[in-house]
Short mmCIF file of all heavy atoms in Angstrom, two decimals:
data_model
loop_
_atom_site.label_atom_id
_atom_site.label_comp_id
_atom_site.label_asym_id
_atom_site.label_seq_id
_atom_site.Cartn_x
_atom_site.Cartn_y
_atom_site.Cartn_z
N ALA A 8 12.85 -2.53 -10.93
CA ALA A 8 13.71 -3.06 -9.90
C ALA A 8 15.15 -3.26 -10.37
O ALA A 8 15.42 -3.54 -11.56
CB ALA A 8 13.19 -4.47 -9.44
N SER A 9 16.10 -3.08 -9.47
CA SER A 9 17.48 -3.36 -9.77
C SER A 9 18.16 -3.92 -8.50
O SER A 9 17.65 -3.71 -7.38
CB SER A 9 18.21 -2.14 -10.26
OG SER A 9 18.13 -1.09 -9.27
N GLY A 10 19.22 -4.68 -8.70
CA GLY A 10 19.98 -5.23 -7.58
C GLY A 10 19.43 -6.51 -7.05
O GLY A 10 19.87 -6.98 -5.97
N ILE A 11 18.41 -7.12 -7.72
CA ILE A 11 17.82 -8.38 -7.29
C ILE A 11 17.75 -9.28 -8.52
O ILE A 11 17.76 -8.83 -9.67
CB ILE A 11 16.43 -8.20 -6.68
CG1 ILE A 11 15.45 -7.60 -7.68
CG2 ILE A 11 16.53 -7.38 -5.40
CD1 ILE A 11 14.06 -7.47 -7.18
N ARG A 12 17.60 -10.56 -8.21
CA ARG A 12 17.37 -11.55 -9.31
C ARG A 12 15.91 -11.57 -9.63
O ARG A 12 15.17 -12.43 -9.17
CB ARG A 12 17.94 -12.89 -8.94
CG ARG A 12 19.42 -12.94 -8.72
CD ARG A 12 19.94 -14.33 -8.42
NE ARG A 12 19.87 -15.18 -9.61
CZ ARG A 12 20.15 -16.51 -9.60
NH1 ARG A 12 20.51 -17.05 -8.46
NH2 ARG A 12 20.06 -17.21 -10.71
N PHE A 13 15.51 -10.59 -10.40
CA PHE A 13 14.10 -10.23 -10.49
C PHE A 13 13.17 -11.38 -10.80
O PHE A 13 12.14 -11.56 -10.25
CB PHE A 13 13.92 -9.10 -11.49
CG PHE A 13 12.55 -8.60 -11.63
CD1 PHE A 13 12.04 -7.66 -10.70
CD2 PHE A 13 11.71 -8.98 -12.66
CE1 PHE A 13 10.74 -7.20 -10.82
CE2 PHE A 13 10.44 -8.55 -12.78
CZ PHE A 13 9.93 -7.64 -11.88
N SER A 14 13.59 -12.22 -11.73
CA SER A 14 12.71 -13.28 -12.26
C SER A 14 12.48 -14.35 -11.17
O SER A 14 11.53 -15.16 -11.34
CB SER A 14 13.28 -13.93 -13.49
OG SER A 14 14.57 -14.53 -13.21
N PHE A 15 13.22 -14.33 -10.10
CA PHE A 15 13.02 -15.28 -9.02
C PHE A 15 12.26 -14.72 -7.85
O PHE A 15 11.98 -15.41 -6.87
CB PHE A 15 14.39 -15.76 -8.49
CG PHE A 15 15.15 -16.60 -9.46
CD1 PHE A 15 16.01 -16.00 -10.36
CD2 PHE A 15 15.01 -17.94 -9.48
CE1 PHE A 15 16.74 -16.76 -11.29
CE2 PHE A 15 15.72 -18.76 -10.37
CZ PHE A 15 16.57 -18.13 -11.27
N VAL A 16 11.89 -13.46 -7.91
CA VAL A 16 11.33 -12.74 -6.77
C VAL A 16 9.82 -12.54 -6.85
O VAL A 16 9.35 -12.09 -7.91
CB VAL A 16 12.05 -11.36 -6.64
CG1 VAL A 16 11.50 -10.58 -5.48
CG2 VAL A 16 13.56 -11.60 -6.48
N ILE A 17 9.12 -12.81 -5.76
CA ILE A 17 7.76 -12.44 -5.71
C ILE A 17 7.67 -10.94 -5.53
O ILE A 17 8.34 -10.35 -4.63
CB ILE A 17 7.07 -13.12 -4.48
CG1 ILE A 17 6.97 -14.62 -4.75
CG2 ILE A 17 5.67 -12.55 -4.20
CD1 ILE A 17 6.46 -15.44 -3.54
N MET A 18 6.81 -10.32 -6.33
CA MET A 18 6.65 -8.86 -6.24
C MET A 18 5.24 -8.55 -5.81
O MET A 18 4.31 -9.25 -6.18
CB MET A 18 6.92 -8.23 -7.64
CG MET A 18 8.31 -8.46 -8.12
SD MET A 18 9.59 -7.66 -7.11
CE MET A 18 9.15 -5.93 -7.28
N ARG A 19 5.10 -7.53 -5.01
CA ARG A 19 3.79 -7.15 -4.52
C ARG A 19 3.56 -5.67 -4.70
O ARG A 19 4.50 -4.87 -4.73
CB ARG A 19 3.66 -7.50 -3.01
CG ARG A 19 3.81 -8.92 -2.72
CD ARG A 19 3.47 -9.24 -1.25
NE ARG A 19 3.60 -10.65 -0.95
CZ ARG A 19 4.46 -11.13 -0.08
NH1 ARG A 19 5.29 -10.36 0.59
NH2 ARG A 19 4.48 -12.44 0.15
N TRP A 20 2.27 -5.32 -4.77
CA TRP A 20 1.84 -3.92 -4.65
C TRP A 20 1.03 -3.81 -3.34
O TRP A 20 0.11 -4.62 -3.08
CB TRP A 20 0.99 -3.47 -5.84
CG TRP A 20 1.74 -3.24 -7.08
CD1 TRP A 20 1.89 -4.09 -8.13
CD2 TRP A 20 2.43 -2.05 -7.40
NE1 TRP A 20 2.68 -3.47 -9.12
CE2 TRP A 20 3.01 -2.21 -8.66
CE3 TRP A 20 2.68 -0.82 -6.77
CZ2 TRP A 20 3.77 -1.24 -9.31
CZ3 TRP A 20 3.43 0.13 -7.39
CH2 TRP A 20 3.98 -0.07 -8.66
N TYR A 21 1.33 -2.78 -2.57
CA TYR A 21 0.58 -2.42 -1.37
C TYR A 21 0.11 -0.96 -1.57
O TYR A 21 0.57 -0.25 -2.42
CB TYR A 21 1.46 -2.47 -0.15
CG TYR A 21 1.87 -3.78 0.36
CD1 TYR A 21 2.91 -4.48 -0.22
CD2 TYR A 21 1.19 -4.43 1.44
CE1 TYR A 21 3.29 -5.75 0.21
CE2 TYR A 21 1.56 -5.66 1.90
CZ TYR A 21 2.59 -6.33 1.30
OH TYR A 21 3.01 -7.57 1.76
N ARG A 22 -0.81 -0.61 -0.73
CA ARG A 22 -1.31 0.76 -0.71
C ARG A 22 -1.57 1.18 0.69
O ARG A 22 -1.91 0.38 1.55
CB ARG A 22 -2.49 1.00 -1.63
CG ARG A 22 -3.78 0.40 -1.10
CD ARG A 22 -4.94 0.65 -2.12
NE ARG A 22 -6.21 0.19 -1.63
CZ ARG A 22 -7.34 0.26 -2.30
NH1 ARG A 22 -7.31 0.68 -3.56
NH2 ARG A 22 -8.46 -0.17 -1.80
N GLN A 23 -1.47 2.50 0.94
CA GLN A 23 -1.74 3.04 2.25
C GLN A 23 -2.49 4.34 2.07
O GLN A 23 -1.98 5.33 1.48
CB GLN A 23 -0.50 3.24 3.06
CG GLN A 23 -0.80 3.67 4.47
CD GLN A 23 0.48 3.58 5.33
OE1 GLN A 23 1.59 3.50 4.87
NE2 GLN A 23 0.27 3.48 6.70
N ALA A 24 -3.76 4.35 2.52
CA ALA A 24 -4.57 5.50 2.48
C ALA A 24 -4.36 6.39 3.72
O ALA A 24 -3.94 5.79 4.75
CB ALA A 24 -6.05 5.15 2.32
N PRO A 25 -4.63 7.62 3.65
CA PRO A 25 -4.44 8.51 4.86
C PRO A 25 -5.18 7.91 6.07
O PRO A 25 -6.41 7.68 5.97
CB PRO A 25 -5.00 9.83 4.40
CG PRO A 25 -4.89 9.78 2.91
CD PRO A 25 -5.15 8.42 2.50
N GLY A 26 -4.46 7.81 7.17
CA GLY A 26 -5.09 7.32 8.38
C GLY A 26 -5.37 5.83 8.45
O GLY A 26 -5.99 5.40 9.39
N LYS A 27 -4.92 5.12 7.44
CA LYS A 27 -5.21 3.65 7.43
C LYS A 27 -3.89 2.88 7.36
O LYS A 27 -2.85 3.43 7.05
CB LYS A 27 -6.07 3.30 6.25
CG LYS A 27 -7.48 3.93 6.27
CD LYS A 27 -8.37 3.41 5.21
CE LYS A 27 -9.78 3.93 5.30
NZ LYS A 27 -10.67 3.35 4.27
N GLN A 28 -4.01 1.59 7.68
CA GLN A 28 -2.86 0.70 7.63
C GLN A 28 -2.54 0.38 6.16
O GLN A 28 -3.41 0.39 5.27
CB GLN A 28 -3.14 -0.58 8.39
CG GLN A 28 -3.15 -0.37 9.91
CD GLN A 28 -3.24 -1.71 10.62
OE1 GLN A 28 -3.80 -2.71 10.12
NE2 GLN A 28 -2.64 -1.77 11.82
N ARG A 29 -1.31 0.06 5.94
CA ARG A 29 -0.87 -0.39 4.62
C ARG A 29 -1.51 -1.75 4.37
O ARG A 29 -1.56 -2.63 5.22
CB ARG A 29 0.66 -0.52 4.55
CG ARG A 29 1.16 -0.65 3.19
CD ARG A 29 2.69 -0.47 3.21
NE ARG A 29 3.11 0.84 3.55
CZ ARG A 29 4.37 1.30 3.46
NH1 ARG A 29 5.32 0.48 3.04
NH2 ARG A 29 4.68 2.50 3.87
N GLU A 30 -2.04 -1.92 3.12
CA GLU A 30 -2.71 -3.14 2.79
C GLU A 30 -2.21 -3.73 1.50
O GLU A 30 -1.80 -3.00 0.58
CB GLU A 30 -4.27 -2.96 2.71
CG GLU A 30 -4.70 -1.97 1.63
CD GLU A 30 -6.19 -1.90 1.49
OE1 GLU A 30 -6.95 -2.78 2.03
OE2 GLU A 30 -6.70 -0.91 0.85
N LEU A 31 -2.21 -5.04 1.39
CA LEU A 31 -1.79 -5.72 0.21
C LEU A 31 -2.84 -5.54 -0.91
O LEU A 31 -4.03 -5.68 -0.68
CB LEU A 31 -1.56 -7.21 0.45
CG LEU A 31 -1.25 -8.05 -0.73
CD1 LEU A 31 0.13 -7.74 -1.28
CD2 LEU A 31 -1.33 -9.56 -0.35
N VAL A 32 -2.40 -5.19 -2.08
CA VAL A 32 -3.25 -5.12 -3.27
C VAL A 32 -3.18 -6.36 -4.07
O VAL A 32 -4.16 -7.02 -4.36
CB VAL A 32 -2.88 -3.86 -4.14
CG1 VAL A 32 -3.70 -3.82 -5.38
CG2 VAL A 32 -2.96 -2.60 -3.31
N ALA A 33 -1.97 -6.77 -4.44
CA ALA A 33 -1.77 -7.91 -5.26
C ALA A 33 -0.37 -8.38 -5.29
O ALA A 33 0.56 -7.59 -4.86
CB ALA A 33 -2.16 -7.61 -6.77
N GLN A 34 -0.12 -9.62 -5.67
CA GLN A 34 1.24 -10.10 -5.80
C GLN A 34 1.37 -11.00 -7.05
O GLN A 34 0.35 -11.51 -7.55
CB GLN A 34 1.72 -10.89 -4.58
CG GLN A 34 1.21 -12.28 -4.46
CD GLN A 34 1.88 -13.09 -3.37
OE1 GLN A 34 2.36 -12.57 -2.36
NE2 GLN A 34 1.98 -14.41 -3.54
N VAL A 35 2.60 -11.13 -7.52
CA VAL A 35 2.83 -11.97 -8.68
C VAL A 35 4.15 -12.68 -8.44
O VAL A 35 5.17 -12.09 -8.03
CB VAL A 35 2.85 -11.14 -9.98
CG1 VAL A 35 3.92 -10.05 -10.02
CG2 VAL A 35 3.02 -12.06 -11.23
N THR A 36 4.18 -13.98 -8.70
CA THR A 36 5.43 -14.76 -8.54
C THR A 36 6.26 -14.56 -9.76
O THR A 36 5.86 -13.97 -10.77
CB THR A 36 5.11 -16.26 -8.37
OG1 THR A 36 4.56 -16.71 -9.61
CG2 THR A 36 4.10 -16.50 -7.28
N GLY A 37 7.49 -15.07 -9.67
CA GLY A 37 8.36 -14.96 -10.80
C GLY A 37 7.84 -15.65 -12.09
O GLY A 37 8.08 -15.20 -13.20
N GLY A 38 7.06 -16.69 -11.86
CA GLY A 38 6.46 -17.39 -12.98
C GLY A 38 5.15 -16.85 -13.43
O GLY A 38 4.52 -17.40 -14.38
N GLY A 39 4.68 -15.79 -12.79
CA GLY A 39 3.45 -15.12 -13.26
C GLY A 39 2.19 -15.49 -12.57
O GLY A 39 1.12 -15.07 -12.96
N VAL A 40 2.28 -16.27 -11.49
CA VAL A 40 1.07 -16.63 -10.71
C VAL A 40 0.64 -15.42 -9.89
O VAL A 40 1.49 -14.86 -9.19
CB VAL A 40 1.31 -17.85 -9.87
CG1 VAL A 40 0.05 -18.15 -9.04
CG2 VAL A 40 1.68 -19.07 -10.70
N THR A 41 -0.58 -15.07 -9.96
CA THR A 41 -1.05 -13.86 -9.32
C THR A 41 -2.01 -14.15 -8.13
O THR A 41 -2.64 -15.21 -8.06
CB THR A 41 -1.80 -12.96 -10.26
OG1 THR A 41 -2.90 -13.69 -10.89
CG2 THR A 41 -0.90 -12.49 -11.40
#
C-alpha cells in the first residue's frame, strides 16, 4: 500500500469466484487484531 497512513488502516482480503459475489476472506486492524 502507498498513499495511506497504513498503520492506522484496517486492511481486508476479499475474493470473487467466477459467477459469484465478492466475499470477505479476512481483515486485520492496524494493531494486528484479525
Side-chain angles (χ1 to χ4, degrees):
S9 59
I11 60 175
R12 297 184 69 186
F13 184 80
S14 61
F15 291 89
V16 178
I17 293 174
M18 299 296 296
R19 299 189 178 117
W20 286 100
Y21 288 81
R22 71 182 186 183
Q23 188 166 18
K27 295 189 176 181
Q28 288 189 329
R29 193 170 296 189
E30 62 176 343
L31 176 66
V32 176
Q34 78 169 29
V35 60
T36 69
V40 176
T41 58

